[in-house]
């Protein structure tokens, strides 16, 4: 299994600002993903964080709004840019357990935008 | 495109009673199926998974699920629930695309346990 640490665990931000969420894994992993969980909703995949190349974004998500970095096999960041109240969500980092298809999740970063 | 339906938004059961949470999926081939649990303020924890083989899979915390291809279902069961089982439960279907594992999640079922 993988242990995933996310920072910050929660934050309250002002409209128009940006926030960067960090995800640290205790072992090297190939696949890292960022999910969004809006209040009372299920999880939606934002993007796959690729090491050494640009992230792969899902439909409805763009790099300008959600820039992602993946400098190595244990770390990734997600930035929520120019935030609005609609961006208030839990953002979850996830990694795939190599060869098993299982996903492991961090505890999430709860973001509130005023 | 794959999709997952969890028809029950909220279920309440008495402690010690049996539980079944429903999950129906849509996918063009044999799916990978998962159940995750999310306790309040926590991330998601994998309960069990189905990839192939035996259609009845056992998971952690006494949970099991049965894959029924003819019904496109993967219902989660537990014979006797405990108060600590109160949480949000998510069914998910996976597909391999370009070597990546992508999961599509259902909308979740919130489980409340009454004494």
């Amino acid at each position: 299994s993988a242990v995933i640490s996310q920072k910050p665990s929660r934050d309250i931000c002002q409209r128009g600002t940006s926030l960067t969420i960090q995800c640290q894994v205790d072992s090297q992993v190939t696949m890292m993903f960022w999910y969004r969980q809006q209040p009372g909703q299920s999880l939606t995949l934002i993007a796959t964080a690729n090491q050494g190349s640009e992230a792969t974004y899902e439909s409805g998500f763009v790099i300008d709004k959600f820039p992602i970095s993946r400098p190595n096999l244990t770390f990734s960041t997600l930035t929520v840019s120019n935030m609005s109240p609609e961006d208030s969500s839990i953002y979850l980092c996830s990694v795939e357990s190599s060869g098993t298809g299982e996903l492991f999740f961090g505890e999430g970063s709860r973001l509130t935008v005023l | 495109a794959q999709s997952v339906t969890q028809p029950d938004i909220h279920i309440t059961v008495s402690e010690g009673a049996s539980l079944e949470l429903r999950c129906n999926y849509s996918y063009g081939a044999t799916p990978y199926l998962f159940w995750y649990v999310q306790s309040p303020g926590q991330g998601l924890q994998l309960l069990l998974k189905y990839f192939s083989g035996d259609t009845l899979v056992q998971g952690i915390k006494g949970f099991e699920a049965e894959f029924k291809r003819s019904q496109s279902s993967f219902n989660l069961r537990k014979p006797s629930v405990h108060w600590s089982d109160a949480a949000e439960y998510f069914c998910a279907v996976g597909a391999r695309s370009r070597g990546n594992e992508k999961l599509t999640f259902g909308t979740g079922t919130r489980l409340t346990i009454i004494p």
Side-chain angles (χ1 to χ4, degrees):
Chain A
S1 64
V3 177
I4 304 168
S5 302
Q6 278 187 241
K7 290 193 298 186
S9 58
R10 59 178 63 233
D11 206 341
I12 299 173
C13 302
Q14 296 299 316
R15 180 195 300 261
T17 63
S18 298
L19 178 75
T20 296
I21 302 167
Q22 299 179 2
C23 177
Q24 179 74 54
V25 190
D26 68 341
S27 59
Q28 292 187 339
V29 293
T30 304
M31 306 303 299
M32 291 183 75
F33 306 93
W34 286 98
Y35 282 84
R36 181 175 71 181
Q37 186 179 21
Q38 294 177 298
Q41 303 293 317
S42 185
L43 283 77
T44 302
L45 180 63
I46 297 172
T48 302
N50 301 309
Q51 196 268 328
S53 64
E54 195 170 278
T56 304
Y57 289 84
E58 297 300 304
S59 176
F61 298 96
V62 295
I63 188 172
D64 290 346
K65 176 67 175 177
F66 297 101
I68 288 171
S69 77
R70 178 90 189 270
N72 56 53
L73 293 176
T74 65
F75 186 78
S76 178
T77 66
L78 168 74
T79 299
V80 186
S81 303
N82 188 25
M83 288 183 287
S84 67
E86 292 72 34
D87 294 319
S88 297
S89 293
I90 300 173
Y91 293 86
L92 293 134
C93 174
S94 172
V95 304
E96 180 189 6
S97 178
S98 180
T100 69
E102 296 178 35
L103 290 187
F104 294 92
F105 287 84
E107 294 190 349
S109 299
R110 182 182 295 273
L111 176 61
T112 302
V113 184
L114 304 178
Chain B
Q2 66 221 47
S3 65
V4 178
T5 301
Q6 293 181 249
D8 303 307
I9 297 173
H10 187 199
I11 285 182
T12 300
V13 299
S14 299
E15 189 168 15
S18 63
L19 171 71
E20 183 170 32
L21 302 183
R22 295 184 290 167
C23 172
N24 293 96
Y25 68 89
S26 174
Y27 184 59
T30 300
Y32 298 161
L33 294 161
F34 306 82
W35 274 99
Y36 285 85
V37 60
Q38 185 179 35
S39 298
Q42 302 293 312
L44 276 75
Q45 181 183 21
L46 179 68
L47 283 176
L48 48 77
K49 61 182 184 287
Y50 171 78
F51 284 174
S52 63
D54 193 345
T55 56
L56 183 64
V57 295
Q58 303 296 321
I60 62 171
K61 304 184 180 184
F63 285 92
E64 66 177 26
E66 186 171 10
F67 169 58
K68 293 185 177 180
R69 183 189 301 275
S70 61
Q71 299 177 18
S72 297
S73 69
F74 189 57
N75 294 348
L76 182 71
R77 300 193 294 251
K78 186 170 185 178
S80 176
V81 298
H82 186 263
W83 63 267
S84 60
D85 294 324
E88 188 91 18
Y89 291 80
F90 293 95
C91 182
V93 60
R96 285 205 172 268
S97 174
R98 301 188 304 277
N100 299 339
E101 190 66 40
K102 292 183 167 185
L103 290 194
T104 298
F105 287 82
T107 51
T109 298
R110 180 170 299 278
L111 176 64
T112 298
I113 308 294
I114 55 177

